[in-house]
Amino acid sequence: MAIRLLRSGGLKYGMTRSRPLPDIVSEPSTDAAALPAPVRAIRDKILAALEKNDVEALRIPIDWNEVRPLFARSGAFPAGTDPIAILKTLSFDGVGRETVDIARAILAEPYVKVTRGPVTLYEWPAFARRSAPAATQEEARARWACVRFRDLARSNAEKRPRATRIGVASDGVWHYFWSED
């Protein structure tokens, strides 16, 4: 049976959800200490892997998850494709250096807390969810460093960086590392 959201905010068994819950997005933050401990732990594992400058090192935080993070929309790769092979394929250079550089740039940016019903995610970079003009040229360059080469043409046409994003649930499960599209 389906479940429906009631006006009071509760759910009642046997009813269907009438509309999706809206995302509640926090103000951007750079305070890593404010992240829940499981989120900090996976972020630290990802950053440690990125320090090796080898996309293969990301296998450790990927495999640390209960389920593999999503790197592309459903159907883009056959089920069971090696995640490192996906990251290499998505990287402009074909070996993953772009992927490593983008992930490092993303995690250097502020994050936002995204709440959707009972689910809470922490997403980097914050500007992908909350538009804000860059105050300095350095901030603008940092934002553009979060864009894959294959997304540059569209980003240039829209006159804004279409950032690749990393999302981690409050329980420390790394959910995705993908472009907006």
Side-chain angles (χ1 to χ4, degrees), residues 105-135:
I106 290 167
L107 291 173
E109 287 290 307
Y111 65 88
V112 290
K113 178 179 173 182
V114 180
T115 305
R116 183 180 303 137
V119 177
T120 300
L121 289 169
Y122 292 83
E123 187 176 273
W124 289 263
F127 73 85
R129 287 277 183 158
R130 291 191 73 104
S131 298

Side-chain angles (χ1 to χ4, degrees), residues 35-113:
L35 293 167
V39 176
R40 269 195 322 270
I42 189 67
R43 180 178 180 267
D44 289 347
K45 279 207 178 293
I46 296 168
L47 287 170
L50 295 171
E51 286 178 17
K52 296 179 179 170
N53 287 321
D54 182 1
V55 73
E56 184 65 41
L58 283 171
R59 191 175 298 281
I60 293 168
I62 290 168
D63 288 345
W64 200 43
N65 260 345
E66 293 175 30
V67 295
R68 289 199 168 140
L70 299 173
F71 300 114
R73 300 287 179 188
S74 179
F77 293 90
T81 302
D82 176 61
I84 301 303
I86 293 171
L87 293 174
K88 287 178 178 180
T89 299
L90 294 173
S91 185
F92 175 72
D93 57 30
V95 294
R97 285 188 297 266
E98 180 191 40
T99 297
V100 168
D101 290 344
I102 288 173
R104 189 179 296 116
I106 290 167
L107 291 173
E109 287 290 307
Y111 65 88
V112 290
K113 178 179 173 182

